[in-house]
Amino acid sequence: DTAVSQTPKYLVTQMGNDKSIKCEQNLGHDTMYWYKQDSKKFLKIMFSYNNKELIINETVPNRFSPKSPDKAHLNLHINSLELGDSAVYFCASSQGSGRVYEQFFGPGTRLTVL
Amino acid sequence: QQQVKQSPQSLIVQKGGISIINCAYENTAFDYFPWYQQFPGKGPALLIAIRPDVSEKKEGRFTISFNKSAKQFSLHIMDSQPGDSATYFCAASYLEDDYKLSFGAGTTVTVRA
């Protein structure tokens, strides 16, 4: 199936740990995003990469570090996890940037920090 | 701060009824207004979108109404069905911000059979 996929779907961890979430898209898109959806369902963009180059970097703690090894992959590494990091993280992709392109979202990764 | 204000937070409608969700914005630079639909446990998916040069766009049972002077836009779901039960997000973006999406807070729609 052509889609945006994320692993893992669920992640439960202790405060202070370091964890990574992986995202892959096989839609041939060259722009990828990370969004955070909090417990009130509010969606906010965190990062955006276009052709492996960081183009959007919102006010996110530097404990969060995205990495794009190639156009089809965008990973999110989180250091020293805090309780407030608990949320659903969505990866998305689009055909490009700088113009209106539909964003396709992955199924999300529910992160719970204990 | 939230650039797009969405209301109501939730609504319940009977099958066959009309669901109406409203959004308002302040930034007049916004020039693209999509609506996303999210089912529980899934990622959001684009439902319908509008540019400010038109006042209405219809796709099937879903219609966006856009009022540029009032800086408001709304989603109407006609003949609501139980399968429409989901959370709906309005959003806005513009070129100079690389079309970064600013989302409203979401509206959870429940359609009763």
Side-chain angles (χ1 to χ4, degrees):
Chain A
D1 286 344
T2 54
V4 180
S5 59
Q6 295 178 228
T7 54
K9 187 162 176 64
Y10 300 96
L11 188 51
V12 181
T13 188
Q14 299 288 329
M15 268 199 316
N17 284 351
D18 303 337
K19 290 294 178 185
S20 292
I21 306 172
K22 295 186 176 182
C23 177
E24 176 181 3
Q25 56 91 5
N26 60 5
L27 297 165
H29 293 165
D30 60 6
T31 302
M32 297 184 73
Y33 312 80
W34 279 113
Y35 286 86
K36 179 180 180 180
Q37 186 171 48
D38 63 23
S39 58
K40 296 183 178 179
K41 295 187 180 177
F42 185 63
L43 266 169
K44 185 163 170 49
I45 190 167
M46 301 173 69
F47 302 103
S48 170
Y49 270 77
N50 176 255
N51 282 317
K52 301 194 297 174
E53 180 185 344
L54 182 65
I55 56 171
I56 294 175
N57 185 353
E58 291 297 286
T59 308
V60 175
N62 58 16
R63 299 181 294 102
F64 290 79
S65 53
K67 279 192 172 50
S68 181
D70 56 55
K71 288 196 302 183
H73 295 85
L74 180 62
N75 303 322
L76 183 65
H77 188 75
I78 315 170
N79 290 325
S80 304
L81 279 155
E82 301 177 357
L83 292 177
D85 298 332
S86 294
V88 181
Y89 292 85
F90 287 101
C91 176
S93 72
S94 66
Q95 180 66 28
S97 66
R99 290 181 59 188
V100 171
Y101 293 104
E102 177 180 353
Q103 292 186 23
F104 293 80
F105 284 76
T109 296
R110 182 175 293 277
L111 171 65
T112 303
V113 183
L114 303 175
Chain B
Q1 73 282 16
Q2 214 166 322
Q3 296 200 59
V4 181
K5 293 191 169 25
Q6 182 172 348
S7 63
Q9 186 175 1
S10 63
L11 67 92
I12 299 173
V13 62
Q14 293 297 317
K15 180 181 175 182
I18 302 173
S19 304
I20 302 174
I21 306 169
N22 300 301
C23 287
Y25 62 96
E26 287 298 325
N27 188 348
T28 55
F30 285 139
D31 64 3
Y32 175 65
F33 303 89
W35 285 87
Y36 279 78
Q37 179 187 54
Q38 184 180 25
F39 293 106
K42 305 290 186 185
L46 180 65
L47 183 65
I48 186 173
I50 198 168
R51 302 298 291 262
D53 52 344
V54 296
S55 60
E56 186 175 282
K57 183 174 181 180
K58 184 175 180 179
E59 288 185 6
R61 296 183 293 105
F62 299 90
T63 300
I64 300 178
S65 298
F66 186 82
N67 186 329
K68 189 174 181 178
S69 60
K71 291 183 283 186
Q72 294 175 348
F73 58 110
S74 60
L75 177 70
H76 290 62
I77 307 174
M78 313 299 287
D79 187 26
S80 297
Q81 300 296 312
D84 297 332
S85 297
T87 300
Y88 293 81
F89 294 92
C90 61
S93 64
Y94 61 104
L95 174 63
E96 288 74 19
D97 203 23
D98 204 40
Y99 285 110
K100 179 180 69 181
L101 290 173
S102 293
F103 283 92
T107 297
T108 299
V109 174
T110 302
V111 182
R112 298 240 194 267

